[in-house]
Amino acid sequence: NGLGLVISSDSVTYSLANLIGGTTTATRNVISGNLGDGVALSGSLTQGNTLEGNDIGTAADGTSNLGNGDRGVFIQTGANDNAVGGVAAGAGNIIAFNHDDGVLVGRNVSDPLVLNAGAGNVISENSIFGNVRLGIELGQDSGVPANQNAAGLVLNSPTLSSAARAGNFFITVNGNWQSDSFTAGNYRIEVFENAAADASGHGQGKIFLGAQSISVSTNSTDFSISLGDAFASGQVISCTITDPFNNTSEFSTDATVA
């Protein structure tokens, strides 16, 4: 196929509240091996759709490489208030081995007819790894910017300063989030584990470890998150942040477990 799955709308036709996949093995889809994007959501009336529990870029075993020829998921041209993954057990997608970004929220700079995505597209508790470019990309630019003004999206990614073990079963992840433009409130930090650092220095996030809410009231917020699991030195930690309006950042800088 050129594209695996397209959910689109025009000026009069809505694409609302579609559920692609589900939280059980029986409802999972394999959306892989396509020449272009695995999943594309497009149009300002494409709203409230949920993509959960799918294998996007892998075979049905969730580990074998069957990457899509472009992005795993591409949200564009005003599509808003959609969800990639979720907090329910089994809602996370596997998004791996795609030949561009794992998830691109924004635009394709090589095609001026493809416009920016809308707001409120949450990306939560997925397993994102092995994609050629970034795990999560806001806009489409070279490298990993602060995203303060990237493609009209204003949610910066966090910066991790350390990930320190306390024994074999706990780590404390320390970091900071900064933004000149922000809304005060509770933000959700999701923490992920990787076997090695990404070439970009920012994420991806193969294994979801846990989440914690932090209160943001200034343009610079430090956070410290303690997690329990079996950790070894040399594993790499990354995280995302999601604001009160369900906008999710790119992956943070990587921090190696010491």
Side-chain angles (χ1 to χ4, degrees):
N1 296 325
L3 299 173
L5 172 69
V6 177
I7 302 174
S8 64
S9 59
D10 56 31
S11 60
V12 295
T13 304
Y14 285 81
S15 289
L16 295 177
N18 295 289
L19 174 61
I20 309 303
T23 59
T24 67
T25 301
T27 56
R28 296 178 74 91
N29 299 292
V30 177
I31 308 173
S32 304
N34 299 288
L35 296 177
D37 301 318
V39 180
L41 290 86
S42 176
S44 61
L45 300 183
T46 298
Q47 304 169 355
N49 300 286
T50 300
L51 183 67
E52 66 180 21
N54 302 289
D55 298 322
I56 303 173
T58 73
D61 60 9
T63 59
S64 299
N65 186 337
L66 193 57
N68 294 290
D70 220 324
R71 282 80 42 162
V73 180
F74 187 12
I75 304 174
Q76 57 170 302
T77 317
N80 61 92
D81 298 303
N82 301 288
V84 180
V87 299
N93 302 281
I94 298 172
I95 304 173
F97 305 125
N98 298 290
H99 295 185
D100 201 280
D101 299 311
V103 181
L104 172 59
V105 182
R107 63 173 297 182
N108 183 350
V109 295
S110 65
D111 185 349
L113 297 180
V114 176
L115 304 177
N116 297 335
N121 295 298
V122 64
I123 305 165
S124 181
E125 297 193 18
N126 301 286
S127 175
I128 300 177
F129 62 95
N131 299 287
V132 171
R133 292 192 78 248
L134 300 182
I136 299 171
E137 172 90 274
L138 304 184
Q140 191 177 51
D141 38 52
S142 57
V144 184
N147 286 320
Q148 189 64 40
N149 297 301
L153 302 168
V154 295
L155 195 65
N156 291 352
S157 58
T159 299
L160 295 185
S161 55
S162 66
R165 280 196 307 164
N168 292 326
F169 296 100
F170 296 93
I171 62 167
T172 299
V173 178
N174 297 304
N176 175 269
W177 183 73
Q178 297 185 21
S179 179
D180 293 336
S181 175
F182 70 96
T183 299
N186 292 323
Y187 287 57
R188 177 181 169 90
I189 300 279
E190 293 190 357
V191 182
F192 299 85
E193 177 186 334
N194 307 277
D198 190 72
S200 69
H202 286 243
Q204 305 178 31
K206 186 172 184 178
I207 300 172
F208 172 70
L209 296 177
Q212 182 171 307
S213 178
I214 65 169
S215 178
V216 171
S217 58
T218 69
N219 64 359
S220 180
T221 303
D222 293 325
F223 57 86
S224 182
I225 300 173
S226 295
L227 298 166
D229 204 338
F231 294 101
S233 296
Q235 291 172 312
V236 176
I237 303 300
S238 61
C239 71
T240 60
I241 190 167
T242 298
D243 71 13
F245 304 106
N246 278 339
N247 299 292
T248 299
S249 73
E250 297 182 0
F251 282 105
S252 69
T253 53
D254 292 318
T256 301
V257 176

